[in-house]
Amino acid sequence: MPQPHPIQLRINGLERNLTLDPRTSLLDALREHAHLPGSKKGCDHGQCGACTVHVDGRRVLGCLTLAVQANGSTVTTIEGLAAADGTLHAVQQAFIEHDAFQCGYCTPGQIMSAVACIHEGHAGSDDEIREYMSGNICRCGAYPHIVSAIREAAFRLAKEASL
Amino acid sequence: MNEFNYVRPSDAAAALREGMQPDGDFLAGGTTLIDLMKLNVKRPARLVDINRLQGLSNIMLGNTSISIGALARMSQVADDAGIKASAPALSQSLWRAASAQIRNMASIGGNVMQRTRCVYFRDPGAYPNCNKRTPGSGCAALEGINRNHAVLGTSDACIAIYPGDFAVALVAFDAQLRIQGQVERSVPVDAFYKLPGDTPDIEHDLAHGEMIIGVEVPISAALRRSHYLKVRDRASYEFAAASAAVGLELEADGRTIRDVRIALGGVATKPWRARSVEQALIGKEMTEPVVRQAAALAVEGARWREHNRFKVDLAPKVVARALMTVGGIA
């Protein structure tokens, strides 16, 4: 048996210490060991984006990252996006207002990806949003509303930043 | 997934020592390796995590060449202002590949080592026979669903496509890989990839324990005026049905072709330099009929199977359109 590895992650602002088999994906570490089931397992092969989380501020796929690889990193999941008082992030709010989901399974990944897409400066036009959100698949086909939600959230965040 | 031991060496010398162990395999972004481990295609006993090695992720623009560290991420290189200005095809080949998440993870060295997407190669449970996985065992693609298989560089043993984009641009512009093992050496990217022949299991000029440490791309006028065109089944997040990396340098008259570089992706078993098309164009005037006639040479020697003949028609059109785009006559 391979040695279990002690792993330290700062998840949504809290230090977490886990001891994991090195085969454990970051996604399984978050869902099964840190009890944060918001990040979803879709394909588990890097093709759907449902598991998108931020590691050290960049959007990555939890299913293709080993938890040991992320040891020492800062991780943000959908559970860590709202403010401490429960105020939703601008992207979360826009997804609700624009009805940007149907079944909701891909939504945590869509939102984490969208937050990064705006932060990267890749939400400048609908075409650019489509291109830079193409790693998040929605089988319900909520794409038009997802694009409009991101367009609006990007606008609001830019406005807030300029105040 | 098989059990494995995991080590994270603190410096490159330690990483090389670990990688030289008989059971050692380097782990960078993991977007290919972890996927293939989940599919039971790869079963490494020991993963040597090189992600945090220092000094291997820089991008340097010199006067004569661009130097990219092997641990630079695809997104970092694609978005680099200097790369976008002096080597548009390199940037485009990266941002038109994979997804934003994968580009944040995948390293440049790992990108070059990306494995084929042949569905038979990727499914050992359903298809135990694969000459690439188990030499001599057979190939299910030859008489199978082979729409996404190669028409150039194939052999009777293997028709698996090289799926990447970035290396296609590297091959077009005579890039070299810097490789560190017992000694450091450089190899042209074109020579780094092996044709399948009778040994489709040997894909690269890379010995066990050797590590790709960087890429060097000579700067040329053609590289500055370059383009990567990728045609695929859906608009984004898809492998190429056919792609072309092209670069162009015109004479002072603005019409006569002085230098041209062309490589194809999505149609061959390795990144495919189209030298016969280049030769046919040098010294000619840049017009649509000239370009289309020359582009037809891109698929000389093509061998197709039941479902992939469309690539023989598509590839020259992609080459021609890419050339007309950089030539300003599209």
Side-chain angles (χ1 to χ4, degrees), chain B residues 290-310:
Chain B
V290 165
V291 166
R292 290 207 180 273
Q293 194 180 4
L297 300 171
V299 287
E300 264 186 330
R303 292 171 64 199
W304 56 88
R305 296 270 162 181
E306 190 176 354
H307 308 111
N308 61 358
R309 188 170 181 169
F310 77 100

Side-chain angles (χ1 to χ4, degrees), chain B residues 200-283:
Chain B
D201 53 312
I202 302 169
E203 297 180 358
H204 309 114
D205 174 9
L206 192 73
H208 180 78
E210 283 190 314
M211 187 196 296
I212 297 171
I213 55 172
V215 178
E216 296 279 334
V217 192
I219 293 176
S220 58
L223 181 60
R224 278 190 286 269
R225 187 172 184 173
S226 65
H227 183 61
Y228 189 77
L229 177 64
K230 184 173 178 181
V231 172
R232 39 192 162 166
D233 288 348
R234 57 180 180 188
S236 178
Y237 199 18
E238 185 56 276
F239 294 93
S243 69
V246 303
L248 183 69
E249 182 187 8
L250 297 177
E251 300 285 1
D253 63 9
R255 294 191 306 272
T256 311
I257 298 168
R258 178 185 287 176
D259 186 17
V260 62
R261 314 292 180 89
I262 303 158
L264 282 81
V267 293
T269 53
K270 58 176 269 184
W272 197 259
R273 181 82 178 256
R275 290 186 192 277
S276 57
V277 184
E278 296 175 4
Q279 290 308 318
L281 285 169
I282 288 174

Side-chain angles (χ1 to χ4, degrees), chain A residues 13-53:
Chain A
L14 294 174
E15 292 295 339
R16 300 293 293 265
N17 291 290
L18 305 168
T19 302
L20 301 172
D21 182 307
R23 288 173 292 183
T24 313
S25 70
L26 177 61
L27 176 63
D28 284 342
L30 292 168
R31 288 177 54 86
E32 311 293 336
H33 298 272
H35 308 297
L36 293 166
S39 309
K40 295 293 184 277
K41 185 179 284 190
C43 69
D44 210 24
H45 283 280
Q47 297 177 11
C48 77
C51 63
T52 303
V53 295

